[in-house]
Amino acid sequence: MSTEKMDRYSPIFAIAQAAELAEMHPQTLRQYDRIGLVSPQRTRGNTRRYSLHDIDQLRQVSQLSHEGLSLEGIRRVLDLENEVQRLRVRVASLERALSDQVMQQERRVFAAGAGGEVVSVRRGTRVRRANEIVVWRPNAR
C-alpha cells in the first residue's frame, strides 16, 4: 500500500471509470485529452489516469456544452477558473507569510512596576530599576 497522501488531484481513475463518473463515452474523454481540454495524468505505461478534479472538469465541460459554449469557449472558462484557483492559493500563502512577519515585528515589552503591576516599556528604552522584562509574543508557537 502506498503511503502517498491522496487528494482531489490524485490520478486514480482509469478512462472507463472516469467516463462512467462523468457520464460520458470514453471516446469523448480521449478527444478532450487530444485537444487539451481536460488532460489526465499518464502512468509509466502511458495510460490515462483521471483525478476527482478531472472528473469535475469533465462534468463542467458537459454542462457548458449543453449551455451552448463552443469547445474553445469552454477551454477558456476552464483556464480562467484554474488560474483563479492558483491565485487563491497564492494569496492565502502570502497572507500567512505577511501575518507571520507582522507578528514577529509586533513584540511588546513589559516590566514589573514598583507595586507589582505590569508596565509597558517603550521599545529600545532601558528600565532603570532591576525589574524583570518579559517579551510578549501573541500567538507564540
Side-chain angles (χ1 to χ4, degrees):
M1 179 179 277
S2 176
T3 59
E4 286 184 34
K5 180 181 172 188
M6 299 282 289
D7 63 12
R8 63 180 277 97
Y9 297 96
S10 298
I12 55 176
F13 300 106
I15 192 166
Q17 296 165 318
E20 186 176 332
L21 290 169
E23 298 178 354
M24 295 179 170
H25 193 278
Q27 193 59 37
T28 304
L29 274 63
R30 289 184 189 95
Q31 179 65 21
Y32 289 165
D33 185 17
R34 271 194 292 281
I35 63 174
L37 198 56
V38 177
S39 299
Q41 294 184 35
R42 300 285 185 141
T43 65
R44 291 180 193 217
N46 206 30
T47 59
R48 294 172 177 90
R49 286 288 183 252
Y50 291 83
S51 67
L52 289 172
H53 176 75
D54 295 330
I55 304 297
D56 288 342
Q57 285 197 319
L58 289 167
R59 289 176 180 159
Q60 188 173 13
V61 167
S62 178
Q63 178 185 355
L64 292 171
S65 180
H66 287 301
E67 292 175 4
L69 263 68
S70 68
L71 291 180
E72 188 54 39
I74 293 169
R75 179 196 328 272
R76 187 73 181 130
V77 167
L78 294 178
D79 287 347
L80 289 171
E81 286 184 349
N82 288 334
E83 181 66 16
V84 166
Q85 183 58 33
R86 282 190 294 274
L87 290 171
R88 283 184 178 146
V89 168
R90 180 72 175 135
V91 165
S93 171
L94 290 171
E95 285 175 338
R96 281 189 303 276
L98 178 61
S99 176
D100 290 347
Q101 184 69 24
V102 168
M103 295 307 279
Q104 287 178 1
Q105 290 177 354
E106 290 186 5
R107 293 184 182 152
R108 294 175 56 191
V109 179
F110 298 93
E117 72 279 7
V118 175
V119 179
S120 181
V121 179
R122 261 188 45 224
R123 185 174 219 165
T125 61
R126 294 179 148 243
V127 179
R128 295 187 183 202
R129 295 188 181 112
N131 295 334
E132 181 178 340
I133 296 178
V134 178
V135 178
W136 177 71
R137 292 184 185 154
N139 299 330
R141 295 177 193 166

